[in-house]
Amino acid sequence: MPGYCAFCLGPAAAGKPWCRACYAGLPHHRHACLQCGDVLKVNESRRCGRCLKSPPPFEATHVPWRYEGDIAATMQRFKFQADRRAGHLLAALMDEGLDSLSFAAPVGVLMPVPLHVSRARERGFDQTAWLARQLAARRGWQLLEAQRLRATPSQRDLDRRARRRNVAGAFRVPYALPETVILFDDVMTTGATFASLAQACRDAGASKISVLAVARTPSRDHRIC
């Protein structure tokens, strides 16, 4: 409803689909590893120990929200109920969140993590591709596409190692890429899917790869203590 906050239905801030109080109360993703985006422990600085020991094949992660509370509820309405209003709200939150992170894209090239065609048919749409189109339109970015070679089982109940095995070699980019590419997904958990797609991008010629996601699920061993 125009003029009303999407969360509390009170008066919205000027030009925004939320009020200032609800926006401030959302689960902002702060104090995160610059490379993988996971929550940092209090004794870690800039990069987590995992990235220092075994860095992923991408240089930076930019995720403005945690997958909790109203962000998780909005994502679930969009992803599993195809709630278009929730989708537009997520796109606006992603755009606003990137500004709060002072994100500046070196080039306007965005590649969403592709959903396998069988999964897209089952769900009725590709939620990540839809959000990527909205974000690209807002930011004036070019969209690139990758191919998902197989329908991998859901990552939901898999641990970190199993997730890496599950998506290893799952993607292909059948054309030469520019040097810098930005990957995009709706939710980031361990980063295994991003790592697999990033490797496919490196095989296609990209050398500077960063990742974006709307929300991040903090790993169990990187929660703030």
Side-chain angles (χ1 to χ4, degrees), residues 17-90:
W18 50 72
C19 68
R20 290 187 178 89
C22 285
Y23 184 83
L26 291 173
H28 294 258
H29 186 52
R30 301 190 177 103
H31 195 55
C33 173
L34 293 178
Q35 190 158 12
C36 75
D38 205 354
V39 174
L40 290 173
K41 295 179 181 178
V42 292
N43 62 339
E44 292 178 309
S45 176
R46 297 181 67 81
R47 281 183 171 78
C48 69
R50 184 179 291 113
C51 286
L52 290 173
K53 182 179 180 181
S54 181
F58 47 84
E59 284 69 40
T61 294
H62 307 274
V63 184
W65 309 102
R66 290 197 197 187
Y67 189 67
E68 299 171 356
D70 283 332
I71 295 293
T74 303
M75 183 70 74
Q76 288 165 14
R77 289 201 311 274
F78 175 58
K79 192 170 183 175
F80 300 115
Q81 299 174 28
D83 185 330
R84 192 178 182 87
R85 184 165 179 255
H88 283 292
L89 178 59
L90 289 170

Side-chain angles (χ1 to χ4, degrees), residues 152-163:
T152 55
S154 171
Q155 300 270 75
R156 194 170 305 157
D157 298 319
L158 303 180
D159 61 21
R160 183 176 293 271
R161 289 184 179 179
R163 283 171 179 258

Side-chain angles (χ1 to χ4, degrees), residues 30 51 55 82 92 102 113 131 143 147 155 179 186 208 223:
R30 301 190 177 103
C51 286
S102 299
V113 172
L131 286 169
L143 275 176
Q147 296 176 347
Q155 300 270 75
E179 180 182 36
D186 55 351
K208 296 179 181 178
R223 297 189 188 278

Side-chain angles (χ1 to χ4, degrees), residues 81-112:
Q81 299 174 28
D83 185 330
R84 192 178 182 87
R85 184 165 179 255
H88 283 292
L89 178 59
L90 289 170
L93 286 166
M94 181 67 186
D95 195 36
E96 186 87 1
L98 287 180
D99 286 341
S100 72
L101 293 175
S102 299
F103 174 78
V107 290
V109 175
L110 186 68
M111 177 181 287

Side-chain angles (χ1 to χ4, degrees), residues 114-136:
L115 191 65
H116 192 270
V117 63
S118 62
R119 188 68 56 82
R121 287 198 194 103
E122 177 184 320
R123 189 169 293 163
F125 76 123
D126 184 335
Q127 80 282 347
T128 299
W130 190 93
L131 286 169
R133 287 194 296 271
Q134 298 298 313
L135 187 59

